[in-house]
Amino acid sequence: MSDLERNAAGPVEPSIGIGVLHLFGKLGSTAEPEAITAAVKDAESQGVQVVTVAVLGHKADIAFMALHADLWRLRDFQTKLCQGGLSAVDSYVSLTELSEYAAGLPEETKQARLYPQLPPEGKPAWCFYPMSKRRNPDQNWYELPFERRRELMYEHGATGRTFAGRVLQLITGSTGIDDYEWGVTLFCEHPDDLKEVVYTMRYDVASARYAEFGPFYVGMVASIEAVLDRLA
């Protein structure tokens, strides 16, 4: 397909915020590092933010976190990575958003949540996991009155703010888009910061009573060249 034909489809963009693709893959013998590097560089030249992660453990070798308003740009990036030999083993799709409990936040904070600039400097330890709120008969988050939910989320947020400067957290919405309701991405200086922030916040009622967690992916943020060099 030519660029003219591709552009004729028109962008698909959220009315507010941007699209976020987490793509996890493995690199087999047919992978072409030059083609994968070129896919990243090409996406970045199109305005896509790309965070490249060397993943620890058996779930994946490498992860790409890509952000752009036009979902077609994210799809093109995924296509080029697969053409370069990346074998996708998992993915997550979400959108940046403002929580319904975010009223009163400073405008700067709102913009940082809707239009983040990633990755942050000095925070190479990385983690991603999806989560939802429970709907069990005696633990149904969505049956709680709004004021009670807001109270619990304020408590949860206050705990998170104790990690300000140590942890950068991006929560993206995926209700109706992927299997869980939110995706949580953490950037930290030290890997034990990842463990401490998740452990500490699980004691809040909003998490301890109402949260369901999906699989966790952990790794190290680096340039695409550095990641592929270490994986080779």
Side-chain angles (χ1 to χ4, degrees), residues 32-60:
E32 301 176 20
E34 297 83 1
I36 292 174
T37 300
V40 172
K41 300 301 183 182
D42 180 65
E44 291 176 334
S45 73
Q46 300 294 320
V48 179
Q49 293 186 63
V50 180
V51 179
T52 309
V53 182
V55 178
L56 287 167
H58 76 286
K59 297 173 188 173

Side-chain angles (χ1 to χ4, degrees), residues 78-198:
Q78 178 179 338
T79 298
K80 291 179 180 178
L81 288 174
C82 293
Q83 289 174 342
L86 179 75
S87 177
V89 296
D90 202 358
S91 65
Y92 204 81
V93 179
S94 57
L95 305 173
T96 61
E97 67 173 14
L98 284 179
S99 166
E100 59 185 317
Y101 316 107
L105 285 177
E107 187 62 28
E108 181 180 356
T109 301
K110 293 180 180 180
Q111 290 300 307
R113 293 184 180 184
L114 288 172
Y115 306 101
Q117 297 297 311
L118 300 175
E121 291 187 11
K123 290 180 170 57
W126 181 92
C127 173
F128 171 78
Y129 60 92
M131 64 166 294
S132 292
K133 286 292 196 286
R134 288 176 180 147
R135 292 182 173 85
N136 298 337
D138 61 341
Q139 295 172 296
N140 192 327
W141 175 259
Y142 296 98
E143 289 185 341
L144 295 176
F146 174 79
E147 292 300 324
R148 177 55 176 161
R149 286 185 278 120
R150 182 170 63 179
E151 176 186 344
L152 293 177
M153 292 308 297
Y154 279 4
E155 174 194 47
H156 199 51
T159 301
R161 286 190 292 275
T162 64
F163 292 89
R166 293 174 57 191
V167 179
L168 188 148
Q169 173 183 263
L170 179 65
I171 300 177
T172 51
S174 50
T175 301
I177 298 175
D178 217 316
D179 295 339
Y180 290 79
E181 296 172 326
W182 294 277
V184 181
T185 308
L186 304 175
F187 296 85
C188 302
E189 181 179 359
H190 305 291
D192 48 323
D193 291 334
L194 299 170
K195 182 169 68 73
E196 185 177 349
V197 66
V198 174

